[in-house]
Amino acid sequence: MAQRSNPIRNGGRARTRPAVLARIVAALVLALGLCRGATAEGQGLQLHRTPLGPAPQSGEDVPAFVIADRIEGVAGVEVEAVGNAELHRGATTLFADRIRYVSEFDEAEAVGHVRIRLGEDELTGPRLRLRVTDNAGVIDEPTYAIVPREHGITGRAAAPTGARGSAKAARFDGRDSLRVTDGTFTTCKPGQDDWYISAGELDLDLDREVGTARQARLTFLGMTTPALPALDFPLNNRRKSGFLAPTFAMSNSRGWEVVAPYYWNIAPNYDATIAPRYMRRRGLQLLTQFRYLLPTSVGEARMEILPDDKATNESRWGVSLRDTSVFPGGWSSNINYSRVSDDQYFRDLSGRLAVATQLFLPQEGSVSYGGGWWSSTLRLQRYQTLQDPLNPVTTPYARLPQLTLTALRSTRAGFDVGAGAEVVAFDHSTLVQGERSTVYPYLAWPLMKSYGFVRPKIGVSATYYNLRNADPLTPTSQSRVLPIASVDSGLYFERDVQWFNRDFLQTLEPRAYYLRVPYRDQSQIPLFDTAIADLSYAQLFSENYYVGGDRISDANQLTIAAVSRLLRPASGEEAVRAFVGQRYYFADQRVGLNSSTPTRTANTAPIIGGLSGQIAPHWRAEAAAQYSWSGAEFDRFNIGARYSPQFAKVVTAAYRYARQTTAQPEIRQIDVAAQWPLWRGLYGLARVNYDFFGRQLVESLAGIEYNADCWIVRAVVQSFVSSSEKRTYQFFVQLELNGLARIGTDPLEALRRNIPGYMPTNAPSTTTSTDVFPGRGETTGPFGQY
């Protein structure tokens, strides 16, 4: 054999030049499509196109081949590779000082500096026994590393380095299963063992993506828990039955509390969560949630019960059901039902602002049909009103029932023929009741071109009322018939521009809308569901000054408006939008909400304008204003900006103003929020929402988030006004061990709602948000999340 001289580094081992030359020759042979075996026939070693084991049959995996400094034995019987030995078979590669393969048993034994790659996973150790065809084996004293699968190695936030550990021994079966004896598991990077699980047995089922540890202990920063008989944890975001990490919280209304949820994965399309919740000042509460996903339906049912509230000495409860179904033939249904035991239920027991401050709980169900050119909906709807004693509100009317119909067809002559109809019965315990029937047929002629459009429209709205429990002076039967005519028109212009050295397509879209509706006296008609519509850009082009069907305003008016947008030429994505518009009146408005409502006499409506979008690199802005020429003052305006130069680095500031009216007090609020790195993985979190008119903090939040790569700790304190006489304080402390669990109270929902653009520091950096104003996008239902 050649002498080892002039070593070349290869994985920490020396390799001689003759050995390197032999490898080059072998590589050239492989490049010519020759498979190499070895025999001790004739004069010496010869290369053959022969695999280590028997030739594969049709449908079997590819054979295994070996590379080494020296290869001895007989192909098909026994082969021994010595010195920088490598065995390759499909996605599996084995490295060792010595590899011995016995064909009869299809087994390979590797000794010395063993390293095996199973796809992208890797195990290293001093000795390994491998069944080559099955790709299964046992390795002594290994260290292992598992890379994230398609959805990440973790349950909720993927660890970028995957998982790793060491053991006394490990048994593997391809890439699907790894059983570790006297081993450890962590998602921390090599050299950083801040946390790890040590277990007598550790099963990692990579097919089901579930880990099971027996006689397990969790060590975090040198502190070790007592041994647990068994511990299950997900290796991905797939669901698995078992106890979830408990959550802890503290608030001024509930004291300290702990929730110990149990998750039941009933079936792939059914699951349930049962969560006992103990509150120091309230007692023991049971929270339950059931979810289902069917071919035609998706829904969720919740029930909460507090048998004996220690603060009120009452039994308190809440229920919720939401279901959305879509059936063949154009049919669909929807159920949204919520009810609680008392008005203070959410204010006392919820820690979410949007839940604690809600006033109306919907209780409705509907069935709809869509038949192509027409559709119809039958709805039953009422509300539970949660009264604030110092700020009572009127309970909305119930609709028992409501039937709506819409239809629209285009004729060959280019006309649109449509109609809208409604029959609804309004019910209320203390106010006038009755039925309202409305039909509104119309004819439109849309003339569309690439450079603009004109759409004249004419229709007749006919409404009939049958009233009960009305004032003696109010007729019980009333009707209203009104013709409505309008002409909508617009033009499209565009040009190429540059903004901050970037190419954009700028549009200019002027629009004119004329509306004519004659006056009809409607002062005797009760108000079931009608109010003045908020003035907005879209409302400038509506046919009615009011929302609801009890008032149709008289009109002889013209709206002039324009929109300009900056579009990215490659994608058509809108970067910036600006708009301005105003309504001009040619006659006074005479229809009011009631006899005491003054009619409008000004010849112009307030002018409205706004700007939103990415106005500069890293900067987003949003502004809207409504200015009254007659009063020479702003009726309202909002302005906000967000600066985000990097991931998890954002500052927002906003100001809101609304002039005092008979319907609402004056609003003057400033809102500042931020997520900003302070020092080496430490991030500051804050929000302040201050009301200058009320001279109080409406909502505030302060906290920190520390990211140590494989674990994160978040500590947050939040305060908000939940009613006119009550302020709620709550505290969040959460420890997240990447790939294992989140322990403590989850503040992420509160952080996302309070800090626009907030990102968990272990989340994918591609996730984006365009919000400028805090408090948007909270739509998790009336009961929130457990």
Side-chain angles (χ1 to χ4, degrees):
M1 298 298 296
Q3 300 296 316
R4 294 186 178 271
S5 60
N6 300 322
I8 301 175
R9 297 296 297 171
N10 178 26
R13 293 173 285 174
R15 180 179 297 170
T16 62
R17 281 184 177 174
V20 174
L21 293 175
R23 283 173 164 263
I24 294 175
V25 173
L28 291 174
V29 174
L30 284 174
L32 295 174
L34 301 179
C35 300
R36 294 165 294 110
T39 64
E41 301 179 20
Q43 301 297 321
L45 189 67
Q46 298 179 358
L47 296 175
H48 296 274
R49 192 175 185 272
T50 305
L52 288 179
Q57 302 299 318
S58 176
E60 290 188 0
D61 292 339
V62 296
F65 302 96
V66 71
I67 301 174
D69 293 344
R70 187 176 74 250
I71 303 175
E72 300 174 347
V74 178
V77 180
E78 181 177 326
V79 172
E80 185 170 12
V82 181
N84 302 303
E86 301 178 13
L87 187 151
H88 297 263
R89 181 180 180 275
T92 301
T93 305
L94 174 62
F95 304 87
D97 293 340
R98 181 188 297 269
I99 299 176
R100 178 173 172 266
Y101 175 77
V102 179
S103 297
E104 180 181 359
F105 304 106
D106 189 33
E107 289 185 353
E109 182 178 6
V111 179
H113 300 93
V114 176
R115 179 163 54 97
I116 183 170
R117 291 179 181 170
L118 304 171
E120 297 182 73
D121 301 335
E122 185 174 282
L123 296 90
T124 62
R127 181 182 295 273
L128 174 141
R129 293 174 299 282
L130 175 68
R131 194 165 60 249
V132 177
T133 302
D134 296 338
N135 207 21
V138 177
I139 184 170
D140 298 336
E141 301 178 4
T143 60
Y144 64 89
I146 305 172
V147 301
R149 293 321 195 239
E150 179 181 357
H151 300 290
I153 199 72
T154 72
R156 295 184 179 178
T161 56
R164 65 178 182 87
S166 60
K168 182 178 180 180
R171 182 184 299 274
F172 59 90
D173 184 6
R175 293 199 67 200
D176 296 334
S177 176
L178 178 64
R179 170 167 291 185
V180 170
T181 302
D182 292 337
T184 62
F185 174 92
T186 184
T187 60
C188 294
K189 292 180 179 179
Q192 179 192 2
D193 292 331
D194 288 356
W195 75 264
Y196 59 87
I197 294 175
S198 54
E201 290 185 1
L202 180 62
D203 292 338
L204 303 179
D205 190 333
L206 304 178
D207 182 35
R208 296 173 51 237
E209 296 172 323
V210 173
T212 302
R214 298 175 181 85
Q215 295 300 313
R217 289 180 169 85
L218 173 63
T219 298
F220 176 68
L221 298 181
M223 298 177 291
T224 303
T225 66
L228 301 174
L231 173 66
D232 293 349
F233 53 94
L235 299 177
N236 206 318
N237 55 3
R238 292 188 180 180
R239 302 172 293 140
K240 183 181 184 302
S241 296
F243 283 99
L244 306 178
T247 63
F248 306 91
M250 181 178 293
S251 72
N252 61 325
S253 64
R254 304 182 302 277
W256 62 264
E257 66 179 84
V258 58
V259 182
Y262 179 83
Y263 177 76
W264 183 14
N265 184 25
I266 303 172
N269 58 330
Y270 297 96
D271 66 7
T273 302
I274 303 169
R277 176 194 191 191
Y278 180 77
M279 298 167 284
R280 175 66 180 83
R281 297 181 180 177
R282 300 287 178 175
L284 182 63
Q285 183 183 29
L286 181 65
L287 313 174
T288 63
Q289 177 193 48
F290 172 72
R291 301 187 302 175
Y292 57 91
L293 177 62
L294 302 175
T296 59
S297 304
V298 58
E300 174 189 69
R302 296 191 181 209
M303 184 180 70
E304 305 177 355
I305 183 168
L306 179 62
D308 183 16
D309 188 336
K310 294 192 296 184
T312 64
N313 296 319
E314 296 177 345
S315 175
R316 311 179 75 179
W317 52 266
V319 294
S320 172
L321 173 63
R322 292 192 292 174
D323 175 275
T324 300
S325 300
V326 179
F327 305 104
W331 290 92
S332 62
S333 67
N334 182 73
I335 298 175
N336 185 9
Y337 181 90
S338 299
R339 187 168 183 83
V340 294
S341 58
D342 56 88
D343 292 345
Q344 302 300 316
Y345 184 85
F346 290 125
R347 299 183 185 101
D348 291 343
L349 301 178
S350 177
R352 294 175 60 240
L353 176 62
V355 174
T357 57
Q358 61 187 332
L359 295 176
F360 305 109
L361 293 184
Q363 300 171 356
E364 64 177 299
S366 64
V367 177
S368 301
Y369 174 77
W373 61 273
W374 70 278
S375 62
S376 182
T377 298
L378 175 64
R379 176 181 290 106
L380 299 174
Q381 181 188 65
R382 69 164 64 246
Y383 293 91
Q384 180 185 5
T385 304
L386 307 181
Q387 296 285 3
D388 181 348
L390 298 183
N391 188 23
V393 296
T394 302
T395 301
Y397 273 91
R399 294 177 171 92
L400 301 173
Q402 179 190 34
L403 176 64
T404 61
L405 173 70
T406 59
L408 178 63
R409 297 205 73 169
S410 297
T411 68
R412 293 184 178 181
F415 291 94
D416 288 344
V417 180
E422 178 194 49
V423 177
V424 54
F426 292 101
D427 183 74
H428 201 283
S429 59
T430 60
L431 302 178
V432 59
Q433 304 174 10
E435 293 81 38
R436 184 181 70 201
S437 303
T438 302
V439 61
Y440 177 30
Y442 63 86
L443 177 68
W445 187 23
L447 304 173
M448 312 296 293
K449 298 294 182 180
S450 61
Y451 52 82
F453 71 93
V454 176
R455 187 175 185 266
K457 176 184 174 183
I458 188 170
V460 177
S461 175
T463 307
Y464 175 77
Y465 286 86
N466 182 29
L467 305 180
R468 299 184 305 277
N469 300 333
D471 183 273
L473 299 179
T474 301
T476 57
S477 296
Q478 301 186 44
S479 62
R480 178 190 63 201
V481 178
L482 279 170
I484 301 173
S486 65
V487 179
D488 196 2
S489 61
L491 295 172
Y492 306 125
F493 301 95
E494 59 184 38
R495 64 174 182 173
D496 296 323
V497 296
Q498 280 197 334
W499 182 271
F500 288 95
N501 297 321
R502 296 182 181 180
D503 292 330
F504 290 96
L505 181 68
Q506 183 185 14
T507 69
L508 177 61
E509 305 164 38
R511 185 176 176 183
Y513 176 76
Y514 177 76
L515 175 67
R516 183 73 173 95
V517 182
Y519 168 76
R520 295 291 186 272
D521 183 10
Q522 303 165 48
S523 59
Q524 295 293 312
I525 297 176
L527 298 176
F528 291 123
D529 60 356
T530 301
I532 298 176
D534 285 337
L535 184 61
S536 65
Y537 186 79
Q539 212 278 329
L540 289 175
F541 306 96
S542 70
E543 294 181 346
N544 196 358
Y545 180 75
Y546 303 100
V547 290
D550 300 316
R551 294 291 184 274
I552 298 178
S553 61
D554 54 312
N556 183 11
Q557 61 194 39
L558 175 67
T559 296
I560 301 295
V563 172
S564 182
R565 298 180 293 162
L566 289 181
L567 307 177
R568 294 182 173 88
S571 62
E573 179 185 1
E574 183 178 283
V576 178
R577 168 190 288 258
F579 67 88
V580 64
Q582 189 171 22
R583 182 183 290 160
Y584 298 88
Y585 302 106
F586 304 114
D588 295 340
Q589 178 182 318
R590 300 170 61 188
V591 176
L593 283 178
N594 50 58
S595 58
S596 63
T597 302
T599 56
R600 174 194 45 76
T601 57
N603 58 8
T604 60
I607 185 172
I608 64 172
L611 172 72
S612 63
Q614 185 174 354
I615 59 174
H618 313 308
W619 283 92
R620 293 193 65 86
E622 186 172 334
Q626 177 178 321
Y627 184 81
S628 173
W629 294 108
S630 60
E633 61 180 342
F634 281 101
D635 291 336
R636 63 178 62 185
F637 67 84
N638 302 328
I639 184 170
R642 189 178 96 183
Y643 175 65
S644 182
Q646 297 176 7
F647 171 76
K649 200 173 185 179
V650 59
V651 176
T652 67
Y655 181 77
R656 300 180 180 91
Y657 168 79
R659 184 172 55 86
Q660 182 176 0
T661 65
T662 56
Q664 68 174 26
E666 181 178 341
I667 297 175
R668 287 187 289 123
Q669 295 181 358
I670 188 170
D671 212 322
V672 180
Q675 176 189 18
W676 203 261
L678 303 177
W679 179 78
R680 293 185 181 180
L682 181 65
Y683 290 75
L685 310 167
R687 182 200 176 187
V688 174
N689 181 9
Y690 185 79
D691 182 8
F692 291 100
F693 182 79
R695 297 183 180 180
Q696 66 172 343
L697 277 174
V698 177
E699 187 171 6
S700 61
L701 179 145
I704 59 172
E705 179 171 330
Y706 178 69
N707 188 339
D709 186 62
C710 62
W711 61 273
I712 293 176
V713 64
R714 302 179 181 96
V716 176
V717 58
Q718 183 186 19
S719 166
F720 58 85
V721 176
S722 53
S723 69
S724 57
E725 59 179 3
K726 183 177 181 180
R727 176 176 290 274
T728 297
Y729 298 89
Q730 57 183 2
F731 306 90
F732 305 88
V733 178
Q734 182 188 63
L735 172 64
E736 180 174 350
L737 305 179
N738 286 350
L740 185 66
R742 289 174 177 168
I743 304 170
T745 308
D746 190 354
L748 295 179
E749 186 177 354
L751 290 172
R752 291 190 181 101
R753 197 193 70 84
N754 281 274
I755 305 176
Y758 164 81
M759 293 299 301
T761 54
N762 61 339
S765 60
T766 55
T767 305
T768 59
S769 169
T770 59
D771 285 341
V772 172
F773 293 93
R776 294 180 175 174
E778 198 170 29
T779 58
T780 57
F783 286 80
Q785 298 176 335
Y786 296 149

